[in-house]
Amino acid sequence: MDTTHRYRISPQDPAAHLFEVRLTVASPDPEGQVFVMPAWIPGSYMIRDYARNVVAIRAESDGLDVPLTKLDKSSWRAAPVQKSLTLVAEIYAYDLSVRGAHLDKTHAYFNGPCVFFAVRGQEDLPCEVEIVPPAGEAASEWRVATSMRRKGADPYGFGTFEADDYAELIDHPVEAGHLTIGEFEVNGIPHAIAIRGKTRVDMGRLCNDLQTLCERHMALLGVPAGLDRYLFLVHAPGSGYGGLEHRWSSSLVCARDSLPARGDDSVGDAYRTFLGLASHEYFHSWNVKRMKPAAFTPYELSSESYTGLLWVFEGITSYYDDLALVRSGLITEQSYLELLGRTITRVLRGSGRLRQSVEESSFDAWTKFYKKDANAPNAIVSYYAKGSLIALALDLKLRTETEGRVSLDDVMKACWERWGDSGEGMPEDGFEVITAEVSGLDLDDFFDASVRGTGELPLETLLATHGIAYKLRPASGSTDKGGRKLDNSKQRSVWLGATLTATNGKSTFAAVMNGGPAELAGIAPGDEAVALDGLQLTAANADSRLKAYRDGDELELVVFRGDELLTTRIRLAAAPLDTCYLELIEDVELDVESRRMAWLHA
Ligand SMILES: [Zn+2]
């Protein structure tokens, strides 16, 4: 008997953003089949309860309606039936993020967890999906981009697709609409990029650059078993940024202007950001999509899955994403150092790094990192940013202390050998144990301080051993991301210890830093800025207004909290040295020079 689960998804009413999803189960549970929608999507560690978008649901068998009982927020049980059972649901899809599903008259995009029910107890059975085009002339030129295996469907056409099991079924996002498509090969493996949105991209250049980048990653860890195709799905609106990794593809959102235009062969800030994003998601093909924490093996998608290792899977990925750009020659050393300086700046600007370890940040991602409030800079640290700096520190430490014999590359290769294709998850102490094994070093103090503790990383010393000078300065203003040297005259001399944002014509205090002038003056997040020293204070003029003052100046500050006017005194303080930039040291010793070369040009 053919036990394949047969799904069919059709854009039932694009104007109302409704998909119809049908699922036929050949031999349902005789006790009554249970169907479940995931509560979260792998790679995005937040409970999203996708079942909340199910607006109608029914079941039928042998031409008759079958009663459905809702068991909890995400699952339903059908009454026992003798023959095959079909579930029919209408699902609302209007979330235009890489974690969602979105349907309108211009395109259809979905992630499996948003639209496909799991058949409880039969999750390991093969699945087929028929993806149906919308009715009407308008969609006649639509193409379908997905990494799901085609069963009869033409390349980029609608039709039937297949997956080995439910976990694979929901690991292939699908985009259908007007697409700009480019193709290239990496080690003989077909790769493609499909872009949605109006674009005049230089596709030839984009494919060349992505090929260079992907080859670099493959050279490090080798071709994962089963990686026989790869797809970058890109949505390029006017502005936006984000990505989500999958085993054979990734979904990226980037600003339209961050893609290279024809006739432009520079790598500006925006294109470098896009390449970094593509690099990040591609590296996840190894690190988190195949090699995973034990807590994700297998994914349990009905509730939170806790691990202290997200810093390994996101932080180390964030380290290799930009490092691969310089190692592959897509950006210069100077450009790479600017990116590192910016990451260091991001971490330095939050005192939360002194309160939360990256292990805690990983564990609590569900309720803290993914649910940031105005107090986040004071309370939490990013396992991405600090995790990538731990990777940097560890890499440089290994290189220095083993005299170039061992680097983080060797540790990652050993991890990949151990947990890459084995299907076993990395235990919570796995990364640390393997790092000690590979290097022969005692790294307990390092991991205690940097991963389990909140110690500052010894980056200044470690970078110096690689011929890089670590410099700190005050920020020039609220848009200064760091990474670059600036004249003293451009740096701010005092600060408020708070950030201001403008929304709907109102300037309000966003983050208020612990111990800073604004907090000491009694300012709270959400207060609306009115006046400083008798003149209007706005998000737009704050940087220039502050130039008139010096450390210790006491001024009147007026704000609205709700509809009540508050007048307070603020004592301005010297702007902190919270902005980092890195410089290549000229004329270094030969051994330092060769260490730097081995690191940046491996
Ligand atoms: Zn990531």
Side-chain angles (χ1 to χ4, degrees):
M1 181 184 180
D2 180 7
T3 53
T4 304
H5 297 319
R6 292 184 200 287
Y7 294 82
R8 180 181 188 275
I9 180 164
S10 54
Q12 177 187 292
D13 189 348
H17 321 295
L18 290 174
F19 282 112
E20 185 199 74
V21 177
R22 302 175 73 93
L23 161 59
T24 300
V25 179
S27 47
D29 185 341
E31 309 280 296
Q33 183 60 53
V34 175
F35 298 96
V36 190
M37 285 291 273
W40 59 281
I41 182 169
S44 186
Y45 307 107
M46 188 167 129
I47 296 298
R48 296 177 193 277
D49 291 328
Y50 290 113
R52 58 197 282 278
N53 292 317
V54 174
V55 295
I57 188 166
R58 63 185 178 82
E60 59 188 38
S61 179
D62 206 18
L64 297 172
D65 284 345
V66 174
L68 272 179
T69 307
K70 192 155 189 190
L71 302 177
D72 58 34
K73 62 181 181 176
S74 299
S75 58
W76 292 258
R77 179 190 283 121
V81 293
Q82 303 302 317
K83 298 190 173 169
S84 71
L85 173 68
T86 298
L87 189 71
V88 185
E90 276 177 46
I91 297 177
Y92 180 69
Y94 205 56
D95 170 7
L96 195 51
S97 79
V98 295
R99 307 166 294 266
H102 191 265
L103 172 66
D104 64 17
K105 290 188 170 183
T106 68
H107 86 129
Y109 170 79
F110 58 85
N111 280 286
C114 306
V115 293
F116 295 137
F117 296 82
V119 182
R120 182 170 286 167
Q122 303 188 20
E123 293 89 347
D124 294 337
L125 294 182
C127 303
E128 264 184 32
V129 189
E130 184 190 358
I131 302 176
V132 181
E137 210 24 45
S140 62
E141 285 170 16
W142 283 24
R143 294 195 282 178
V144 180
T146 177
S147 53
M148 213 179 326
R149 280 195 316 277
R150 283 163 194 274
K151 192 181 176 190
D154 291 336
Y156 304 112
F158 286 91
T160 304
F161 298 75
E162 58 184 346
D164 284 348
D165 52 27
Y166 181 74
E168 190 201 323
L169 172 73
I170 60 168
D171 202 17
H172 297 288
V174 174
E175 172 73 57
H178 293 272
L179 305 175
T180 306
I181 292 169
E183 294 178 332
F184 54 99
E185 285 198 351
V186 180
N187 288 357
I189 298 164
H191 283 52
I193 176 167
I195 305 171
R196 180 174 84 78
K198 291 187 197 319
T199 173
R200 296 182 65 78
V201 67
D202 181 345
M203 188 56 93
R205 180 184 180 202
L206 186 56
C207 287
N208 274 335
D209 289 351
L210 287 174
Q211 182 179 30
T212 303
L213 185 58
C214 296
E215 279 170 357
R216 161 56 55 180
H217 285 307
M218 272 197 189
L220 181 67
L221 295 177
V223 184
L227 188 84
D228 54 356
R229 62 205 185 274
Y230 193 86
L231 172 69
F232 291 100
L233 272 182
V234 179
H235 175 214
S239 63
Y241 177 82
L244 193 64
E245 66 277 8
H246 302 280
R247 268 178 290 174
W248 293 272
S249 64
S250 50
S251 269
L252 315 179
V253 174
C254 66
R256 184 177 301 122
D257 293 344
S258 66
L259 297 171
R262 278 175 272 182
D264 177 9
D265 57 6
S266 67
V267 180
D269 244 29
Y271 185 41
R272 184 178 61 179
T273 302
F274 171 78
L275 288 173
L277 176 64
S279 182
H280 181 95
E281 305 308 345
Y282 195 71
F283 192 74
H284 273 318
S285 304
W286 291 266
N287 199 30
V288 95
K289 288 313 301 188
R290 291 182 172 81
M291 179 164 77
K292 293 184 233 181
F296 296 169
T297 316
Y299 288 117
E300 210 287 280
L301 297 178
S302 56
S303 60
E304 294 87 345
S305 293
Y306 294 100
T307 172
L309 288 175
L310 290 184
W311 77 269
V312 168
F313 293 93
E314 289 299 348
I316 294 181
T317 299
S318 298
Y319 174 58
Y320 276 102
D321 58 17
D322 290 340
L323 186 60
L325 300 184
V326 66
R327 284 182 168 179
S328 60
L330 288 167
I331 64 171
T332 62
E333 286 180 350
Q334 201 50 58
S335 178
Y336 176 63
L337 294 183
E338 179 178 285
L339 291 172
L340 272 188
R342 285 187 179 183
T343 306
I344 295 169
T345 300
R346 279 201 350 253
V347 173
L348 283 179
R349 286 189 183 165
S351 62
R353 75 183 190 284
L354 305 172
R355 311 193 82 164
Q356 189 192 44
S357 70
V358 289
E359 188 176 79
E360 291 166 331
S361 177
S362 300
F363 194 89
D364 284 330
W366 304 87
T367 51
K368 293 194 173 189
F369 189 77
Y370 271 90
K371 294 185 178 177
K372 290 192 199 86
D373 59 19
N375 196 44
N378 298 315
I380 70 171
V381 68
S382 161
Y383 51 82
Y384 284 83
K386 173 128 188 244
S388 79
L389 297 185
I390 294 172
L392 167 68
L394 182 60
D395 195 8
L396 300 184
K397 187 177 170 68
L398 293 173
R399 289 168 185 276
T400 309
E401 294 186 11
T402 65
E403 295 176 345
R405 189 176 50 81
V406 174
S407 72
L408 189 60
D409 295 352
D410 301 300
V411 173
M412 293 309 288
K413 284 176 195 162
C415 287
W416 178 246
E417 256 171 48
R418 176 77 184 77
W419 295 293
D421 289 326
S422 70
E424 232 181 276
M426 181 190 281
E428 292 291 297
D429 65 352
F431 181 77
E432 217 176 307
V433 168
I434 223 163
T435 306
E437 266 171 36
V438 171
S439 67
L441 300 174
D442 178 356
L443 295 162
D444 288 355
D445 289 349
F446 177 83
F447 282 105
D448 278 345
S450 61
V451 173
R452 280 178 290 282
T454 55
E456 299 279 26
L457 297 167
L459 287 175
E460 186 170 0
T461 315
L462 288 167
L463 285 161
T465 62
H466 287 71
I468 311 283
Y470 174 102
K471 303 276 179 70
L472 295 176
R473 61 169 174 81
S476 65
S478 51
T479 56
D480 182 2
K481 295 181 193 158
R484 290 182 192 172
K485 189 176 179 175
L486 271 191
D487 288 351
N488 283 353
S489 64
K490 295 211 173 110
Q491 298 168 13
R492 54 158 70 130
S493 59
V494 293
W495 79 325
L496 293 171
T499 58
L500 280 160
T501 54
T503 17
N504 301 330
K506 283 186 181 178
S507 290
T508 49
F509 285 89
V512 176
M513 308 307 172
N514 281 166
E519 189 186 73
L520 295 173
I523 299 300
D527 287 351
E528 183 188 345
V530 177
L532 179 72
D533 199 19
L535 293 174
Q536 189 180 26
L537 177 68
T538 66
N541 76 10
D543 290 337
S544 62
R545 289 287 321 281
L546 288 172
K547 284 196 176 130
Y549 304 104
R550 291 293 165 263
D551 181 14
D553 284 353
E554 263 196 52
L555 313 170
E556 185 185 76
L557 175 60
V558 184
V559 299
F560 270 118
R561 179 166 303 163
D563 64 353
E564 288 178 31
L565 197 68
L566 299 181
T567 301
T568 178
R569 304 282 301 170
I570 185 165
R571 188 168 201 275
L572 298 178
L577 299 173
D578 62 0
T579 305
C580 175
Y581 63 97
L582 305 177
E583 290 184 319
L584 285 172
I585 304 169
E586 308 287 339
D587 303 324
V588 288
E589 302 284 332
L590 215 59
D591 61 326
V592 174
E593 172 67 24
S594 58
R595 257 203 296 272
R596 188 164 71 194
M597 288 299 287
W599 167 44
L600 294 178
H601 302 286

